[in-house]
Amino acid sequence: MKELMKGNEAIAAGAIHAGVKCFFGYPITPQTELAAYMAKHLPKSGGVFLQAESEVSAINMVYGASSAGFRAMTSSSSPGVSLKQEGISFLAAADLPCVIVNVMRGGPGLGGIQPSQADYFQAVKGGGHGDYRLIVLAPGNVAEMAEMTVKAFDLADKWRIPVMILTDGVLGQMMETVDMDSLPERKYYDKEWAVTGRSGRAHKNIVKTLHLDAEELEKIVLEREEKYRRIECEEADAEEYRADDADIIVTAYGITSRIAKAAVDRARESGVRVGVVRPKTLYPFPSEFYNKGYKKILCVEMSTGQMVEDVKLAVKCGVPVEFYGRTGGMIPGEDEIYERIMMMAKEDAK
Amino acid sequence: MNTIYEKPRSLSDVNFHYCPGCGHGVVHRLICEVIDELNINDKTIAVVPVGCAVMSYDYFECDAVESAHGRAPAVATGIKRCMPDKVVFSYQGDGDLAAIGTAETIHAAARGEAITVIFVNNTIYGMTGGQMAPTSLPGQVTQTTPCGRDPYTQGYPLKMCEILSQVQGVSYIERCAIDTVPHINAAKKAIKKAFLNQIENGGYSFIELLCSCPTNWKMTPKQAKERIGSEMCEYYPLGVFVDKIGE
Amino acid sequence: MEYKIIIAGFGGQGVLFAGKVLARAAVLCGYEVTWLPSYGPEMRGGTANCQLVISDKLIGSPVIKEADALIAMNLPSLTRFKGSVCELIITDERFVPGTGARAETVGISTEMCNGGACFDGLTNMIMVGALIRRCDIFELENVKKAIEMITKPGVAEVDIGAVEYGYKKADMKQKIVS
């Protein structure tokens, strides 16, 4: 049945569908509905909801639960996710699967509580210390928030990696229909590495991140890099919208991509051959989607320009890449994007 | 031939990296003797800290998780909440438990998590070479208090047993010392009681152990043991602070 | 077809709830819908608003620049949003004089329902009733069904009564200012 749900609630419902055992969180706007939904519904499905004393504790509780082989998650919003970075680095270093949700708000610092996409660098380039990556998923609507959460848990287990769902205050707060019956079934993975008490196992299991021998640490980090390369080959994904015959591509993720689509529809009516490439995975970045003979690319973000750097890397300077962004909680308008497209089309005609 | 002394089965057959006269080795042994006596090796998970005991996952013959600095109670919470039938203990030093991890310590206690916290208090940061700890005594000379700890500028040492006694969620708190044979025997009794409290009552226990760090105290092991019995026991009195077991 | 509605008023007047009723009703009518609330400190005692986009195809932006209809439950909301509405404004009849909006403005007396809508907290439902009478998007039956779906048992009846009251009131055209 189609249900009307907030994006934050859809993530929580998706996580319960994916068999999440525990949720550890701390209140912060605009993600709080996620924790509230979990508090109400997770115990009913035999799970554990616990409000932690801090963001730092919450992510470390996730570390503990994940060490024990259970599906665990936490959610927060920008300043809270900064606090979690220590734990995220440890999770990555211990090859522990988990799901972390960031419902982004304007920053830096306390910033504001209105929607933003200014944590892109933090999410896809590391965030915490050390050589590591997260898989970063960017849902574009409320239904996808539920669906991608199921996928996030599967990817986390498959690759033994923390997965971040990077979304924003608009998608988190807005209601839209979700068909919970059409969610994909969760997958199961063996976790023979989990610390569950030895009970009969010949060897003890240790979850750790310390390797004092530099040669050993380099080897482990490089093996993980090798895993990241495979993830890049197998998991990069994007949606193409009216891109078949496009000269100009508008690229955006999350809420911004929807506004971009509306602007593209209008520009199409004005006769401009323009389409949208919407990354669904931000790491791995879907680079090949940008190399299809387009003449110009416009990257639109709710930031001062972060994903645009990956777009430029993707096209290797082969295509001019322009940027349009609003920040601080401002949302780019359909007409602002439309005007930018028309300007680019006009320059093209010259 | 009668065996009158042997290594506990739960203690790995490897050499400790600890300095001569360090308290960690004794505490490890006591924990492992208790695990053996309670026959819980198969269902015990150690949560180990950052600090000198970081590599204790190599010494405990049970499953273990190494946690970030100060976060052991949070990590232990995550494990225990998923597997309430397992035995989970955290092993933490003074910097870990009473400085960078104070929030985690107090709130795990407030929730009455069914875990056992083993707190090794040697009044100094050992792994990093002897800096002031939250439990360093007034006047104690360390690398970062070269003129001795002055409470006026560097604050007073935290008495964790006394602080946690104010927290309702705890069910058993005791402070023991690792200096003399009677004290060590008492410490083992306390550790065993703490593990049993977790297994039988699902209670939160906190055992503080006053330990020596001869290297960073710049003392001989013998002098260090004497400091525990004198200066340390004076500031940190031994005894049971809370015992609500069976209530 | 795409129809955009802004609902605004004081926090506590049921702004978000009115939006949820209309969103649910739109789904029952077979439309796609997005409901986007203003959120944050302004929810507590200040002004609140929510934005609804209703469409027969997938919705692009849930953020409304120009709305087709506005429900303004207080004067500050009317002042703030009247310039960005092109078709229809539903508000309290006391706010109508001198509105100066380009959209058709329907002023509803909200004081006569039961013991007085303001006291019963029913202004929102009266306005919803008036709105659905004046636009061709919703069927009254679906709005009633939506209320039954999202309210606690026993509450729906009162809300539905207020919707019907507003629906009838909006039929009388004497309060319209163009």
Side-chain angles (χ1 to χ4, degrees), chain A residues 22 50 53 56-57 60-61 63-65 70 86 90 195-201 204-210, chain B residues 12 42 57-58 60-66 68 71 74-75 77-79 81-83 86 103-104 107 111:
Chain A
C22 28
L50 185 58
E53 63 271 23
V56 176
S57 280
N60 279 287
M61 289 171 183
Y63 180 93
F70 291 86
E86 172 204 61
F90 274 70
V195 290
T196 51
R198 289 179 64 161
S199 54
R201 211 187 312 119
K204 62 181 175 183
N205 279 346
I206 300 172
V207 169
K208 66 167 192 166
T209 66
L210 179 74
Chain B
S12 297
D42 260 11
Y57 47 68
D58 281 336
F60 297 121
E61 263 309 301
C62 57
D63 278 4
V65 180
E66 164 232 288
R71 317 300 174 220
V75 174
T77 297
I79 297 170
R81 291 283 182 121
C82 288
M83 304 186 296
K86 300 293 162 79
E104 285 79 358
H107 286 275
R111 292 189 301 266

Side-chain angles (χ1 to χ4, degrees), chain B residues 140-162:
Chain B
Q140 187 176 337
V141 174
T142 71
Q143 216 179 59
T144 49
T145 53
C147 303
R149 180 178 190 164
D150 176 3
Y152 185 71
T153 54
Q154 283 135 346
Y156 288 92
L158 290 181
K159 299 180 176 181
M160 291 310 292
C161 286
E162 287 82 344

Side-chain angles (χ1 to χ4, degrees), chain C residues 21-39:
Chain C
V21 167
L22 288 175
R24 171 57 66 185
V27 173
L28 291 173
C29 295
Y31 294 114
E32 296 288 336
V33 64
T34 61
W35 170 96
L36 177 66
S38 63
Y39 59 85

Side-chain angles (χ1 to χ4, degrees), chain B residues 32 48 57 61 74 97 101 104 108 149 168 182 196 214 223 232-233 244:
Chain B
C32 289
V48 307
Y57 47 68
E61 263 309 301
L97 182 137
E104 285 79 358
R149 180 178 190 164
Q168 272 193 321
L196 274 171
Q223 288 168 327
M232 280 180 77
C233 282
K244 292 193 272 195

